[in-house]
Amino acid sequence: MTSASRTAAIPLAAHAVCAAAGVRDGLRAAQFYVRDLSNADRSAQGSPVRAPFLSRIVARGARLVDRLMNWGANVSIALFLPSWRKLPSPFTPGIMHAVARGIRDDSLIHNPTFNAYFFRAAIHIAGRYSAPPYLILEHRVDAARRSLAPRADEEVTENGMLARILIALVEQGPVARIGKVAERNRFMAQVEPNVAVNAIACVALMFAEEGRPAEAIDEDEFFSVTGALIGPRLPAIAQLIARRDEAGLARELTDIKAMY
């Protein structure tokens, strides 16, 4: 199922949550490749006339399938759980503690706050910094959550917990693919996408710990501000993650917070 399921006794509900996330990820992966094919006629580059006839047929069919899949997903979510796509706002007071408590949640109805935040944040960040299509895998976010569960009762500072979460997320690799990174966002290309995306998500959570900043900005803009602030430090963060240096990463997060 996941690396976490092989190393600890996991309740049946946790396996069910992971299996459900895996099914959703299978559909997301299918749609990712459909969206990739939808540009077979190079329509996104504005040059469909030069594409071969077969490529134009494939692209048109893929765009039709993509619209149908989108329609089906939107209708299902609207009927069964309208809040499913909502990003838990990092501006919510106490959200960091809610995310940490979500490490041990195994609801079959609602996603744990841990999964909901990091999965939706990764989608927002990938969409902000790279071109579509991009693929974020929810079951790998859940695998990171489950790998952290055995240590959930350990005494640790807030930045120490964020460091632990960041290492777990990068090791599980929920960011399967991102699109082309624009030149203005070249700092994203310095490191592996999982490091950049998950570091921005974690640091945004740390920055907004006390609630909405004085200047009202939305979540996407806040992720952009966060990315710009930590961009120069991503290589150092990547090295600490590779060494699994929780203490060093916690100190790095503390230094970043002091800049804010």
Side-chain angles (χ1 to χ4, degrees):
M1 188 82 71
T2 66
S3 59
S5 65
R6 295 193 296 270
T7 58
I10 305 294
L12 181 59
H15 283 288
V17 169
C18 184
V23 170
R24 291 192 294 269
D25 283 340
L27 294 172
R28 291 183 186 112
Q31 190 163 22
F32 170 82
Y33 289 109
V34 165
R35 286 178 174 169
D36 217 16
L37 287 172
S38 71
N39 191 39
D41 61 353
R42 300 194 294 273
S43 179
Q45 282 77 38
S47 55
V49 177
R50 295 196 297 271
F53 173 76
L54 183 58
S55 296
R56 296 199 298 271
I57 294 298
V58 168
R60 289 171 187 171
R63 286 195 286 269
L64 175 61
V65 171
D66 183 37
R67 285 195 292 270
L68 289 173
M69 293 181 79
N70 260 339
W71 178 83
N74 291 336
V75 169
S76 298
I77 290 169
L79 287 176
F80 297 112
L81 196 60
S83 63
W84 186 262
R85 282 182 170 157
K86 185 177 180 182
L87 167 72
S89 174
F91 302 136
T92 304
I95 185 64
M96 186 187 296
H97 299 286
V99 166
R101 287 194 301 271
I103 288 172
R104 306 188 80 164
D105 290 345
D106 289 314
S107 171
L108 295 177
I109 305 300
H110 295 283
N111 254 358
T113 304
F114 181 98
N115 291 22
Y117 174 74
F118 285 108
F119 175 66
R120 299 308 309 175
I123 291 174
H124 280 252
I125 294 164
R128 190 79 176 182
Y129 286 105
S130 71
Y134 37 84
L135 179 60
I136 315 297
L137 299 177
E138 183 185 350
H139 81 277
R140 293 187 185 175
V141 177
D142 190 66
R145 178 184 70 84
R146 295 168 69 187
S147 73
L148 292 164
R151 304 178 64 189
D153 293 329
E154 292 181 11
E155 289 290 333
V156 65
T157 64
E158 289 180 346
N159 287 351
M161 174 59 73
L162 278 178
R164 187 175 295 176
I165 288 171
L166 179 53
I167 291 170
L169 285 167
V170 172
E171 287 182 344
Q172 293 297 337
V175 184
R177 289 277 296 276
I178 63 171
K180 183 178 180 181
V181 176
E183 178 63 22
R184 67 179 182 278
N185 300 325
R186 57 185 177 275
F187 70 88
M188 288 281 289
Q190 298 179 94
V191 295
E192 202 268 330
N194 274 288
V195 173
V197 171
N198 290 308
I200 292 171
C202 284
V203 173
L205 200 60
M206 178 181 71
F207 280 167
E209 174 191 358
E210 302 301 328
R212 182 177 290 273
E215 291 185 21
I217 57 176
D218 65 20
E219 285 81 359
D220 283 342
E221 292 170 326
F222 192 57
F223 288 138
S224 292
V225 171
T226 302
L229 284 172
I230 71 169
R233 319 216 27 170
L234 284 176
I237 290 172
Q239 291 176 9
L240 291 166
I241 292 172
R243 297 199 300 266
R244 304 189 89 254
D245 185 351
E246 290 183 10
L249 189 54
R251 287 194 297 272
E252 182 72 16
L253 292 174
T254 300
D255 290 344
I256 290 172
K257 189 172 183 179
M259 295 163 47
Y260 180 57

